Amino acid sequence: MVDARPDDDAAALERLAAWCLRLSPMTAADPPDGVWMDVTGCAHLHGGERSMLDLLLEHLGNQGFAGRAAAADTPGAAHAVARHGGEQVLVVPSGTHVDAMALLPVASLRIGPDIADGLRRLGFDLVGQLATTARGPLARRFGDGLLLRLDQALGRVHEPIQPVMPPEVVSVRRTFVEPLSTAEAFATVIPVLVGEACAVLERRGQGARRLDLVYERVDATIQVIQVGTARPVRDVRHLGRLLDERIEDVDPGPGVEAMRLVLPLVEPLSYAQPATDLAGDRTGEADLSELVDRLTNRLGPGKVYRLQPVESDVPERSQTPCPRCPPATIERRLHDPRDGHVPSGCWSGRSRCRRWR
Amino acid sequence: MFSIRSYPGGPGCQSLRPTRPSSRACARASPRSNDAGSRPSRAAALPFGLEAIDGRLPWRGLPLGAVHELHAAGPDVEVGAAPALFAAGVLARRPGPVVWIGQRRGVFVHGLLQAGLEHGRIVFVDAGKAVLLAMEEALRHPEVAGVVCELEGRLDLVASRRLQLAAEGSDVLGLLIRRSRRFDDPALRQPSAAVTRWRVGTLSSPPPLAHAPDLSGLHRPVWRLDLSRCRGGEPASWTVESCDAQGRLAMAAVLADRQAASARPRALAG
């Protein structure tokens, strides 16, 4: 038994809608349990609507989601057919959604349960019965909401969907006339990719925190080199050097036919005036982030750190590593016996000072 | 252990010998001193503040932009505690961040505080077998005040020359603590391209209380400091008191000059 967490569910649904962007450029979450996709002009890329929906359910199944999919002319019809159509994958041919809706129960119209009960009490079981009856009495009894949903499902009223904004990931790709396999060739391509990505970052006022360099090999396998930075960077030389140093980790195999640089994590980076010798004394903090990036990328995470003193009577526990901590005040110094105070009995729990002089 | 990468300019392009410092450059304590508008001079040095030591060094102090080797004496060669404190004391007298490179985590920051090196200035690097590579990277970074590297085992001439060239390009003070599991390891006696080589050995410190001469070990530690190699200078050795909380050494009081023993009976001492 797990407590329901509606906020988490809604967030997961948003993520799922964003994931569906790979099939269509326009998707929207349909809380609590649905995702809308506008597949106009996209279905033929996946071999038709039917195979597209099969593909979608297969991918969702691989991720552990069970689902039902339907395609129809209007969002309302697709919503109803998917939930009440009785099949896992159902494609309503274009122009027949009115017929398809006619045999569905009235509850499929996205109306509240009280309205559905009221309709059933009046003898309306199917949407088809509702569509052919007079609209005036229905509107008087149940309000405009029922007729709006009916019109939306039947396509009499346009229903816009609020698409999720696709996360704009900076991605730069270069394909080659002939497969590359030497380190020198990769080192030539990397500054081009990095320069292009940095130009995009500069327009947006952002800096990269993580870079994925994807080597696409001729044999349809990819190799990904990931590097990270301690703070947002859009310095072509620095980023290029980080990627250059990892070239030796790449196995080109039969050859690399394309390279793609993806920046999955970017953060805002504003302009700062660099310190110059003209200003007299250098006031700013020394910037070690470049060095830290390079050492971290070469040695692995957790190998570059600062040590922070913590309160403990056990010397081994009196310091703790922190990856990027601000320098803290010093809480503890070793006792200098010449001060006259020598702690005695430290380990018995109570510290007593003895005065020598 | 040490990657072969092309070095800008090539290893042969720069002279291995440091330029002899001019007297004006010697007078400047640090390249980041208040000498506004001037570029750091390569011949700048960090003086010890002790005429007995500075006078024997051709640069009147530890030259910046160079690599210095620090050795331990006796059984301390396995740990290198005294050279580490010596390095901390040297860097405590220079502002700026410090990179401390070791094979694995083994530094006690409270100990470094004794010599005045605050933990907030230090970035520690556990480099495993790539200590030399990490040191070269750090030496090339011009914003670093100093780099301390704990190296166990041998250091060949090519590697030490690379380190020295990296340091010359950026005015960083490189301190290489040489350690070994073996006593009197011949690998530590081999020549290297470092500018100076120091041996820091511990001596028993004088009794802290004049009236209790048999109570030892509580006074400020005393080191025997040997300058065993020095480019352009001669070897020398001194007996010094270890670094104080500002990282300054002091000449040890000669035994004859010490305070006369008090006539107070020992029973009152405790």
PDB file of all heavy atoms in Angstrom, chain B residues 232-248:
ATOM      1  N   GLY B 232      73.038  26.596  -8.949  1.00  0.00           N
ATOM      2  CA  GLY B 232      73.697  27.892  -8.838  1.00  0.00           C
ATOM      3  C   GLY B 232      74.093  28.245  -7.432  1.00  0.00           C
ATOM      4  O   GLY B 232      74.528  29.356  -7.170  1.00  0.00           O
ATOM      5  N   GLY B 233      73.927  27.315  -6.494  1.00  0.00           N
ATOM      6  CA  GLY B 233      74.309  27.611  -5.118  1.00  0.00           C
ATOM      7  C   GLY B 233      75.027  26.424  -4.520  1.00  0.00           C
ATOM      8  O   GLY B 233      75.265  25.416  -5.185  1.00  0.00           O
ATOM      9  N   GLU B 234      75.362  26.544  -3.271  1.00  0.00           N
ATOM     10  CA  GLU B 234      76.088  25.478  -2.610  1.00  0.00           C
ATOM     11  C   GLU B 234      75.228  24.846  -1.539  1.00  0.00           C
ATOM     12  O   GLU B 234      74.394  25.518  -0.934  1.00  0.00           O
ATOM     13  CB  GLU B 234      77.362  26.040  -1.968  1.00  0.00           C
ATOM     14  CG  GLU B 234      78.391  26.415  -2.997  1.00  0.00           C
ATOM     15  CD  GLU B 234      79.643  26.931  -2.351  1.00  0.00           C
ATOM     16  OE1 GLU B 234      79.679  26.983  -1.108  1.00  0.00           O
ATOM     17  OE2 GLU B 234      80.580  27.283  -3.079  1.00  0.00           O
ATOM     18  N   PRO B 235      75.433  23.566  -1.284  1.00  0.00           N
ATOM     19  CA  PRO B 235      74.670  22.918  -0.220  1.00  0.00           C
ATOM     20  C   PRO B 235      74.974  23.549   1.127  1.00  0.00           C
ATOM     21  O   PRO B 235      76.060  24.091   1.349  1.00  0.00           O
ATOM     22  CB  PRO B 235      75.139  21.471  -0.263  1.00  0.00           C
ATOM     23  CG  PRO B 235      75.745  21.295  -1.603  1.00  0.00           C
ATOM     24  CD  PRO B 235      76.288  22.618  -2.005  1.00  0.00           C
ATOM     25  N   ALA B 236      73.999  23.491   1.978  1.00  0.00           N
ATOM     26  CA  ALA B 236      74.182  24.065   3.310  1.00  0.00           C
ATOM     27  C   ALA B 236      73.233  23.349   4.243  1.00  0.00           C
ATOM     28  O   ALA B 236      72.326  22.640   3.803  1.00  0.00           O
ATOM     29  CB  ALA B 236      73.892  25.559   3.301  1.00  0.00           C
ATOM     30  N   SER B 237      73.430  23.536   5.520  1.00  0.00           N
ATOM     31  CA  SER B 237      72.443  22.997   6.456  1.00  0.00           C
ATOM     32  C   SER B 237      72.327  23.894   7.665  1.00  0.00           C
ATOM     33  O   SER B 237      73.262  24.620   8.023  1.00  0.00           O
ATOM     34  CB  SER B 237      72.785  21.559   6.847  1.00  0.00           C
ATOM     35  OG  SER B 237      74.025  21.490   7.442  1.00  0.00           O
ATOM     36  N   TRP B 238      71.151  23.860   8.241  1.00  0.00           N
ATOM     37  CA  TRP B 238      70.821  24.726   9.354  1.00  0.00           C
ATOM     38  C   TRP B 238      70.050  23.924  10.392  1.00  0.00           C
ATOM     39  O   TRP B 238      69.457  22.894  10.057  1.00  0.00           O
ATOM     40  CB  TRP B 238      69.926  25.891   8.911  1.00  0.00           C
ATOM     41  CG  TRP B 238      70.470  26.727   7.811  1.00  0.00           C
ATOM     42  CD1 TRP B 238      71.238  27.842   7.938  1.00  0.00           C
ATOM     43  CD2 TRP B 238      70.287  26.528   6.408  1.00  0.00           C
ATOM     44  NE1 TRP B 238      71.547  28.358   6.699  1.00  0.00           N
ATOM     45  CE2 TRP B 238      70.971  27.563   5.754  1.00  0.00           C
ATOM     46  CE3 TRP B 238      69.626  25.574   5.644  1.00  0.00           C
ATOM     47  CZ2 TRP B 238      71.007  27.683   4.369  1.00  0.00           C
ATOM     48  CZ3 TRP B 238      69.648  25.679   4.277  1.00  0.00           C
ATOM     49  CH2 TRP B 238      70.341  26.728   3.643  1.00  0.00           C
ATOM     50  N   THR B 239      70.025  24.417  11.592  1.00  0.00           N
ATOM     51  CA  THR B 239      69.123  23.893  12.604  1.00  0.00           C
ATOM     52  C   THR B 239      68.105  24.981  12.879  1.00  0.00           C
ATOM     53  O   THR B 239      68.464  26.085  13.300  1.00  0.00           O
ATOM     54  CB  THR B 239      69.885  23.545  13.892  1.00  0.00           C
ATOM     55  OG1 THR B 239      70.913  22.630  13.563  1.00  0.00           O
ATOM     56  CG2 THR B 239      68.953  22.923  14.899  1.00  0.00           C
ATOM     57  N   VAL B 240      66.848  24.683  12.572  1.00  0.00           N
ATOM     58  CA  VAL B 240      65.823  25.721  12.663  1.00  0.00           C
ATOM     59  C   VAL B 240      64.690  25.226  13.550  1.00  0.00           C
ATOM     60  O   VAL B 240      64.502  24.029  13.741  1.00  0.00           O
ATOM     61  CB  VAL B 240      65.258  26.089  11.279  1.00  0.00           C
ATOM     62  CG1 VAL B 240      66.311  26.722  10.412  1.00  0.00           C
ATOM     63  CG2 VAL B 240      64.663  24.872  10.609  1.00  0.00           C
ATOM     64  N   GLU B 241      63.984  26.165  14.086  1.00  0.00           N
ATOM     65  CA  GLU B 241      62.728  25.817  14.761  1.00  0.00           C
ATOM     66  C   GLU B 241      61.648  25.756  13.701  1.00  0.00           C
ATOM     67  O   GLU B 241      61.634  26.553  12.763  1.00  0.00           O
ATOM     68  CB  GLU B 241      62.391  26.878  15.811  1.00  0.00           C
ATOM     69  CG  GLU B 241      63.350  26.843  16.985  1.00  0.00           C
ATOM     70  CD  GLU B 241      62.907  27.749  18.105  1.00  0.00           C
ATOM     71  OE1 GLU B 241      62.032  28.587  17.848  1.00  0.00           O
ATOM     72  OE2 GLU B 241      63.436  27.614  19.219  1.00  0.00           O
ATOM     73  N   SER B 242      60.710  24.822  13.857  1.00  0.00           N
ATOM     74  CA  SER B 242      59.748  24.564  12.790  1.00  0.00           C
ATOM     75  C   SER B 242      58.816  25.762  12.612  1.00  0.00           C
ATOM     76  O   SER B 242      58.821  26.705  13.395  1.00  0.00           O
ATOM     77  CB  SER B 242      58.930  23.325  13.124  1.00  0.00           C
ATOM     78  OG  SER B 242      58.080  23.615  14.196  1.00  0.00           O
ATOM     79  N   CYS B 243      57.982  25.661  11.570  1.00  0.00           N
ATOM     80  CA  CYS B 243      57.134  26.781  11.198  1.00  0.00           C
ATOM     81  C   CYS B 243      56.187  27.138  12.334  1.00  0.00           C
ATOM     82  O   CYS B 243      55.618  26.265  12.991  1.00  0.00           O
ATOM     83  CB  CYS B 243      56.310  26.409   9.982  1.00  0.00           C
ATOM     84  SG  CYS B 243      57.277  25.874   8.601  1.00  0.00           S
ATOM     85  N   ASP B 244      56.018  28.432  12.526  1.00  0.00           N
ATOM     86  CA  ASP B 244      55.017  28.856  13.503  1.00  0.00           C
ATOM     87  C   ASP B 244      53.672  29.012  12.791  1.00  0.00           C
ATOM     88  O   ASP B 244      53.505  28.606  11.638  1.00  0.00           O
ATOM     89  CB  ASP B 244      55.458  30.154  14.179  1.00  0.00           C
ATOM     90  CG  ASP B 244      55.568  31.297  13.197  1.00  0.00           C
ATOM     91  OD1 ASP B 244      55.258  31.080  12.017  1.00  0.00           O
ATOM     92  OD2 ASP B 244      55.973  32.393  13.603  1.00  0.00           O
ATOM     93  N   ALA B 245      52.698  29.590  13.465  1.00  0.00           N
ATOM     94  CA  ALA B 245      51.347  29.643  12.919  1.00  0.00           C
ATOM     95  C   ALA B 245      51.245  30.557  11.713  1.00  0.00           C
ATOM     96  O   ALA B 245      50.215  30.593  11.046  1.00  0.00           O
ATOM     97  CB  ALA B 245      50.362  30.089  13.992  1.00  0.00           C
ATOM     98  N   GLN B 246      52.284  31.321  11.422  1.00  0.00           N
ATOM     99  CA  GLN B 246      52.291  32.108  10.184  1.00  0.00           C
ATOM    100  C   GLN B 246      53.227  31.495   9.144  1.00  0.00           C
ATOM    101  O   GLN B 246      53.485  32.115   8.122  1.00  0.00           O
ATOM    102  CB  GLN B 246      52.724  33.552  10.453  1.00  0.00           C
ATOM    103  CG  GLN B 246      51.622  34.444  10.982  1.00  0.00           C
ATOM    104  CD  GLN B 246      51.405  34.223  12.467  1.00  0.00           C
ATOM    105  OE1 GLN B 246      52.348  34.089  13.218  1.00  0.00           O
ATOM    106  NE2 GLN B 246      50.138  34.165  12.860  1.00  0.00           N
ATOM    107  N   GLY B 247      53.738  30.328   9.432  1.00  0.00           N
ATOM    108  CA  GLY B 247      54.585  29.658   8.471  1.00  0.00           C
ATOM    109  C   GLY B 247      56.027  30.113   8.476  1.00  0.00           C
ATOM    110  O   GLY B 247      56.767  29.816   7.554  1.00  0.00           O
ATOM    111  N   ARG B 248      56.430  30.843   9.506  1.00  0.00           N
ATOM    112  CA  ARG B 248      57.800  31.361   9.528  1.00  0.00           C
ATOM    113  C   ARG B 248      58.698  30.414  10.288  1.00  0.00           C
ATOM    114  O   ARG B 248      58.342  29.920  11.362  1.00  0.00           O
ATOM    115  CB  ARG B 248      57.828  32.738  10.188  1.00  0.00           C
ATOM    116  CG  ARG B 248      57.132  33.801   9.384  1.00  0.00           C
ATOM    117  CD  ARG B 248      57.086  35.068  10.172  1.00  0.00           C
ATOM    118  NE  ARG B 248      56.502  34.852  11.483  1.00  0.00           N
ATOM    119  CZ  ARG B 248      55.668  35.728  12.073  1.00  0.00           C
ATOM    120  NH1 ARG B 248      55.362  36.844  11.463  1.00  0.00           N
ATOM    121  NH2 ARG B 248      55.182  35.477  13.252  1.00  0.00           N
TER     122      ARG B 248
END
